[in-house]
Amino acid sequence: MNQRNDLPTQEGAQRLFDRTYKCTQPRRRARTNLQQWRVFHAVVTCGGYLPAAQYLHLTQPAISYAIIKLEQQLGVTLLSLDGRKARLTRAGKILLEPSLHMLRVADELESTAAWLAVGGEPKVPTLHESGIMEV
């Protein structure tokens, strides 16, 4: 504890957090963000960087930068260029579906939060005979 104001030191606060949330390993900060994944999906869906830029109302250099940064942060190449056409690499194909699922979940979270913000009632999860939870 800090003698002057009875607050825990930074190390003490971290230990308390780790005990409270039972962290066994340090949390790794996410290196990517949802906007980068949205850009990736726009390039794939639109077939290239320029059509994706037009679709997202961004510049082509902004699209290129987002993809380069995403690939650097992941340590894999997601897209290869064949002329002006963007093609998925093996890694891009593997990450396409899980990243689409992540974007859908993020959109659903934002929609639910917006619904709650205007006084909507939360939906209570129910268990079906199949054992699958549905919200």
Side-chain angles (χ1 to χ4, degrees):
M1 290 284 192
N2 185 331
Q3 295 289 332
R4 288 186 291 161
N5 54 12
D6 294 331
L7 294 174
T9 61
Q10 186 171 357
E11 296 87 20
Q14 184 63 50
R15 282 193 304 273
L16 177 62
F17 177 86
D18 290 345
R19 278 195 314 267
T20 304
Y21 295 100
K22 299 179 179 27
C23 296
T24 56
Q25 294 183 1
R27 285 183 168 244
R28 189 176 66 97
R29 187 174 162 264
R31 293 186 248 173
T32 63
N33 62 54
L34 294 175
Q35 181 61 23
Q36 290 170 316
W37 288 107
R38 285 187 176 103
V39 168
F40 169 64
H41 280 274
V43 171
V44 172
T45 302
C46 297
Y49 287 52
L50 185 57
Q54 293 168 340
Y55 174 75
L56 294 173
H57 305 288
L58 296 172
T59 64
Q60 186 273 328
I63 298 294
S64 297
Y65 179 79
I67 295 297
I68 290 168
K69 194 77 172 152
L70 179 62
E71 290 176 334
Q72 287 174 346
Q73 291 168 328
L74 294 172
V76 296
T77 301
L78 300 171
L79 298 165
S80 64
L81 290 177
D82 182 14
R84 292 181 180 223
K85 184 85 173 155
R87 305 244 185 249
L88 285 168
T89 63
R90 181 176 178 272
K93 289 176 185 174
I94 292 169
L95 295 173
L96 184 65
E97 190 59 38
S99 61
L100 182 57
H101 176 72
M102 175 184 60
L103 291 173
R104 287 179 179 154
V105 169
D107 288 342
E108 188 175 314
L109 283 170
E110 289 177 357
S111 294
T112 301
W115 173 250
L116 293 172
V118 296
E121 289 296 317
K123 296 178 183 175
V124 178
T126 59
L127 185 61
H128 287 275
E129 294 79 18
S130 64
I132 298 174
M133 295 294 287
E134 188 175 281
V135 179

